[in-house]
Amino acid sequence: MKFDYHTHHNRCGHAEGSIREYIQSAISKGFDIIGISDHSPYFFNEEDHLFPHISMANSHFPGYVEEVLELKYKFEGQIEVLLGVESDFFPEHIGIYKRQYERFPFDYVIGSVHHVDGRNIFEKKRWDGLSNKEKIQTKNNYYELIQQSARSGVFQILGHIDAMKGYYPEFSLIQTNAIDQTLSILSQFEIAIEINTSGKNKDCGGWYPADEILERALYHGVKVTFGSDAHSADRVGDEFDEVQKRLKEIGYKEWAIFRKRKRFIVSF
């Protein structure tokens, strides 16, 4: 079985192509499942389109759901189309997000931490001038938010759980026990992590998460799934076969997939 649970499209303002184009790309590559998971609106803000180049407008969200469900029906028999969303995690606003997602028949919700201490995780200069102690605290704060997202009960998948290394590869070398603590919590709450192949397009040059985290995740019994994080249709399913091969080498024997917010386990 081949699948991709993490794809975007032009509604978010920084991806290219229509939902239909992503589905057609998945079909052309022989995929069985394609999940559409564009960036959630900033539901907590009264402004309809707070950041037009980061996420869709609040008013566009119902139309997004409607289009995915329509295409799910149109492509039935060719590929399974799933309704998802990549949700920002802001602990102070999680109730608002939860109520929004309960309005619609999502197959899964990806929870992603994109902001730590009020700053974007991909901000290149956020590490400038920090002491080693401050770097450790930043990493701990990042994983504390990931732990909170797992406990929230809103998400089935957590996205790119070491993405802070994207433009700061040294992030992986910061020594802390936070990763093992986080993986233990994910296992308790039966939250899956994605292997996200978009990291290769950033300075870190590799997948999210790193192999050493995947090894620790296997030890803790955390299930894994796959997401390309495609922002163009040609990247759908990018390196799926390579990821599956590497997981087998690490010791994994199965994937987690999702429908109607329920987890299913499938063997490689």
Side-chain angles (χ1 to χ4, degrees):
M1 176 180 287
K2 299 182 73 171
F3 56 88
D4 187 345
Y5 274 81
H6 194 154
T7 65
H8 297 278
H9 73 293
N10 53 23
R11 270 189 184 84
C12 70
H14 62 280
E16 303 172 352
S18 66
I19 295 173
R20 180 184 289 270
E21 289 172 325
Y22 284 74
I23 295 171
Q24 290 171 330
S25 177
I27 292 172
S28 72
K29 295 177 181 181
F31 273 64
D32 303 286
I33 298 173
I34 178 69
I36 309 300
S37 58
D38 213 359
H39 291 282
S40 60
Y42 286 85
F43 292 120
F44 61 85
N45 195 281
E46 293 182 0
E47 188 173 338
D48 183 50
H49 209 176
L50 185 62
F51 296 115
H53 300 296
I54 296 179
S55 69
M56 72 180 86
N58 291 346
S59 59
H60 292 174
F61 198 56
Y64 163 68
V65 172
E66 183 179 348
E67 183 179 358
V68 175
L69 295 178
E70 179 182 334
L71 291 171
K72 179 184 185 78
Y73 173 76
K74 286 186 176 180
F75 284 95
E76 188 175 2
Q78 298 181 65
I79 193 170
E80 184 177 7
V81 178
L82 298 179
L83 173 62
V85 62
E86 182 183 13
S87 176
D88 276 300
F89 177 66
F90 299 104
E92 66 273 27
H93 301 303
I94 190 61
I96 298 172
Y97 282 76
K98 182 177 182 179
R99 287 191 292 274
Q100 286 288 338
Y101 301 145
E102 287 174 345
R103 296 172 55 204
F104 303 105
F106 283 100
D107 288 297
Y108 62 97
V109 180
I110 301 172
S112 294
V113 173
H114 290 117
H115 298 84
V116 178
D117 301 328
R119 300 175 70 178
N120 192 287
I121 63 171
F122 296 122
E123 185 181 330
K124 294 183 179 181
K125 294 184 178 181
R126 66 169 297 143
W127 301 95
D128 292 354
L130 294 186
S131 67
N132 187 57
K133 182 178 180 180
E134 290 170 328
K135 290 177 182 179
I136 291 172
Q137 188 60 56
T138 299
K139 187 167 186 175
N140 285 338
N141 291 347
Y142 176 58
Y143 282 103
E144 172 60 29
L145 287 170
I146 292 176
Q147 293 170 25
Q148 290 180 37
S149 72
R151 292 188 179 103
S152 72
V154 175
F155 311 117
Q156 290 72 52
I157 302 168
L158 295 190
H160 47 58
I161 67 166
D162 62 348
M164 280 198 96
K165 73 181 181 183
Y167 291 114
Y168 187 68
E170 293 86 352
F171 175 81
S172 298
L173 303 177
I174 300 171
Q175 295 300 308
T176 171
N177 293 323
I179 294 174
D180 268 305
Q181 294 169 357
T182 301
L183 292 170
S184 177
I185 290 169
L186 266 57
S187 179
Q188 293 172 36
F189 286 87
E190 298 187 347
I191 307 293
I193 60 173
E194 65 174 9
I195 291 85
N196 180 315
T197 53
S198 71
K200 69 176 188 177
N201 298 317
K202 293 186 170 61
D203 291 354
C204 64
W207 304 334
Y208 307 124
D211 280 5
E212 54 265 30
I213 295 180
L214 289 173
E215 291 168 1
R216 298 305 299 163
L218 179 62
Y219 171 80
H220 286 284
V222 176
K223 304 302 182 184
V224 296
T225 193
F226 176 84
S228 64
D229 205 346
H231 282 66
S232 59
D234 62 295
R235 276 207 67 246
V236 169
D238 195 15
E239 298 189 310
F240 177 91
D241 293 333
E242 291 89 336
V243 167
Q244 184 167 258
K245 179 182 177 182
R246 183 66 187 123
L247 288 174
K248 287 180 179 179
E249 292 170 350
I250 291 172
Y252 286 90
K253 299 179 180 178
E254 56 194 20
W255 291 108
I257 63 171
F258 299 86
R259 297 183 182 95
K260 298 180 179 179
R261 303 201 199 191
K262 293 183 179 180
R263 186 177 77 176
F264 302 88
I265 304 300
V266 295
S267 299
F268 289 162

